[in-house]
Amino acid sequence: MTPELGQLALILALLLALAQSVLPLIGAWRGNNALMAVARPAAAGQAVFVGLAFFILVWAFLHFDFSVQYVADNSNLQLPWYYRIAAVWGAHEGSMLLWVLILNVWTVALALFSKSLPDVFVSRVLAVLGIISVGFLCFILFTSNPFGRLLPMPPDGADLNPILQDPGMTFHPPVLYMGYVGFSVAFAFSIAALLGGSMEQSWVRWARPWTNAAWGFLSCGIVAGSWWAYSELGWGGWWFWDPVENASFMPWLVGVALIHAQAVTEKRGSLRAWTILLSLFAFSLSLLGTFLVRSGILTSVHAFASDPRRGTYILCFLALVVGGSLLLYALRAPKVAGGKAFALISRESAILVGNLMFTVAAAMVLLGTLFPLLGDALDIGKVSVGPPYFGLLFPLLMLPVMLLLPFGPFLRWGKSDTSVLSQVLTRAGIAAAACAVIAAFFVHGQLKSIAGVACAAWVAVGIVLYMAKRWREMPRGRRYPAEMAGMLLAHFGVALFVIGVLLSESLSVTRDVRLSPGQTATVGGYEFRFDGVTQTTGPNWVAEQGVVTVMRNGSLVADMHPQKRTYSHEQVQTTSAVDPGITRDLYVALGEPMDPNHVEGAWALRLYTKPFIRWIWGGGLFMMLGGFVSAADRRFRVKRETEAAQTILTPVRESQA
């Protein structure tokens, strides 16, 4: 009866979610403290039951309960225990349960760390999160039940998709979902602010650490997914503009804009309506990503489901959430707009330009992702939108951001003096030009590489100049507060990322070769000697394992062992061999045997040298760290004395009117 207990736990969680979404809203409307007080215990109770359901599903996987359809479809007796845990979120039903569990984690964290905020506001925030939880719990119970029975119980199950049997898949989805779902908190803050009608900008300060943390998790999830695709799929790339990759990238882009817009709203009271709109867009794009992955309308290696009924539900839920929030925004936005004016040369103007570029970039990615669907709907035939489209437009949209990045910290709020900007322009420009000239001697005229070095130097020198300025002008304890340190780390991550992308793309060398044992091929100055293929086994697979010795100038560099694994049901998966380094990766993927009679033992291999590719993920990790460090700023957690007497809402009766 254990699976039935899991289903019962989800039903009880749904009932508590209904209470959390309805009663606190009524309490905030009527000024009833007792009803508002329901929000926190209802959230805690819901989290307990969702956690219980998730634990029961994990237990079913660990104990091979093949009477559960989901367990039988995604595991077998040979699957190692750690992949049995990862299999819990390895397919559609379990991934949705993980989604709701993480939503409850964010909700409980908000309930615990919001005790200094006004009860009326917190009750509205928790109620909005409860409404979201109701939608997804209904989705699980009515269309995606992970506890459905399979009778009679088979003696063994199928297997987890081999492409998911990778260490990266044990943490990539949970971390990515932490970012996806984390934007629901910023969304809930914005909806609560709109429901209040008239408010101070202090609500934005309360929302900022949650937004930064969500963006940090999303950055980490995207980096982990990129690394998994690079190391597991055998194609040697780190990003393919796949529809599901785009689904996570769009809220990330809007999240960047939101973080900066929140800073303007909190510090100057400007861009209030724009900040709320970005909050709505960030979470709406997260929901859209869920729809794209689970509806089956787009083909992707990442996609989990192709059930039109599920896609219809999510589409309706998406329309309800997005449409309802935009309607509320249209009705209430005029009441929240306002703020201090700012000059053309000011920090607000620079942030606004960056906001527009990131938002347009997200719209460009959205259009490219959905355009094939529009082609089908308009009956104009199959339309493919791929890397040429994204690779051309995205750098053009990001160019103004890169040019403004060193100036941003030097600009003052309201109005800025141009003299300091000319100094930054001169020093950073000279450094960028010098680095470009030096790079030209080493990259043999590769324009992408020269541009990458110049851009990275432009941004990095700007960061160093600003750090030196604060060191000179600020007292010791106030030089680099957490919010400032997070910004500097994230901007430094941008510099690393840019140089990694442009150097790796322009300097990488790829060769597809046919080698017999003892033969060699030279790629990028390295000699790859193929020493044949051996047989090896794993816990639930057998593999043909290549033996490749890499030499340079007569010295041994690496012994590499790419594999072609065969899992149950004759599922074949390539596992690449990577020799990592700070300045280069060596990468070998094993192809097919080229000698049917196995006389010569020849195989097809794909050999790569990938200069500076790890700087891409290093830059992403610095950006992630910047988000977390900024979220930890004590200023966001300490209640200002002036707020003790403030209310962010108009009196209840006035609001009702």
Side-chain angles (χ1 to χ4, degrees), residues 97-351:
L97 184 56
L98 176 67
W99 207 103
V100 176
L101 176 68
I102 291 175
L103 176 61
N104 278 266
V105 169
W106 279 102
T107 304
V108 170
L110 180 64
L112 289 174
F113 295 107
S114 62
K115 295 180 180 178
S116 62
L117 306 186
D119 290 337
V120 176
F121 187 77
V122 174
S123 64
R124 285 181 173 138
V125 172
L126 293 177
V128 173
L129 293 173
I131 292 171
I132 297 170
S133 188
V134 167
F136 276 92
L137 284 169
C138 287
F139 178 62
I140 291 175
L141 287 169
F142 298 127
T143 73
S144 308
N145 182 11
F147 297 107
R149 289 288 197 175
L150 177 63
L151 297 175
M153 184 179 75
D156 198 359
D159 197 5
L160 179 65
N161 188 340
I163 207 170
L164 303 179
Q165 295 186 40
D166 181 84
M169 288 305 296
T170 61
F171 61 86
H172 164 57
V175 175
L176 189 71
Y177 281 12
M178 283 293 289
Y180 263 160
V181 183
F183 282 125
S184 66
V185 178
F187 174 84
F189 269 91
S190 296
I191 295 296
L194 289 172
L195 289 172
S198 175
M199 64 221 108
E200 305 293 335
Q201 69 254 29
S202 53
W203 70 272
V204 179
R205 185 168 68 85
W206 305 334
R208 287 188 67 192
W210 302 96
T211 307
N212 278 278
W215 184 81
F217 278 116
L218 188 58
S219 300
C220 184
I222 291 173
V223 168
S226 172
W227 162 249
W228 167 74
Y230 169 77
S231 60
E232 180 70 12
L233 299 183
W235 64 298
W238 58 277
W239 193 263
F240 193 66
W241 297 105
D242 177 273
V244 179
E245 289 177 332
N246 295 348
S248 62
F249 191 45
M250 289 184 290
W252 186 90
L253 289 169
V254 175
V256 175
L258 176 59
I259 287 171
H260 291 83
Q262 284 180 336
V264 175
T265 301
E266 187 222 337
K267 296 178 185 297
R268 298 286 294 175
S270 303
L271 306 182
R272 293 182 191 176
W274 175 244
T275 298
I276 290 177
L277 191 61
L278 287 175
S279 300
L280 306 185
F281 284 161
F283 183 60
S284 297
L285 288 171
S286 295
L287 289 180
L288 178 64
T290 301
F291 169 64
L292 291 176
V293 176
R294 290 162 184 82
S295 65
I297 62 172
L298 289 174
T299 302
S300 168
V301 71
H302 305 76
F304 284 151
S306 57
D307 186 342
R309 185 168 55 108
R310 295 168 177 171
T312 301
Y313 180 99
I314 293 179
L315 184 59
C316 293
F317 182 63
L318 179 65
L320 181 64
V321 171
V322 177
S325 61
L326 290 179
L327 176 61
L328 181 62
Y329 176 82
L331 295 174
R332 295 298 185 99
K335 297 183 179 180
V336 305
K340 299 177 182 178
F342 51 87
L344 179 62
I345 307 298
S346 64
R347 186 176 294 189
E348 293 96 324
S349 294
I351 289 176

Side-chain angles (χ1 to χ4, degrees), residues 533-546:
V533 170
T534 62
Q535 301 293 317
T536 185
T537 60
N540 62 331
W541 49 264
V542 296
E544 294 174 301
Q545 177 173 282

Side-chain angles (χ1 to χ4, degrees), residues 571-593:
Q571 300 177 88
V572 179
Q573 176 62 35
T574 297
T575 300
S576 305
V578 181
D579 181 59
I582 296 177
T583 59
R584 60 95 185 113
D585 271 15
L586 303 179
Y587 189 108
V588 180
L590 187 65
E592 300 296 331

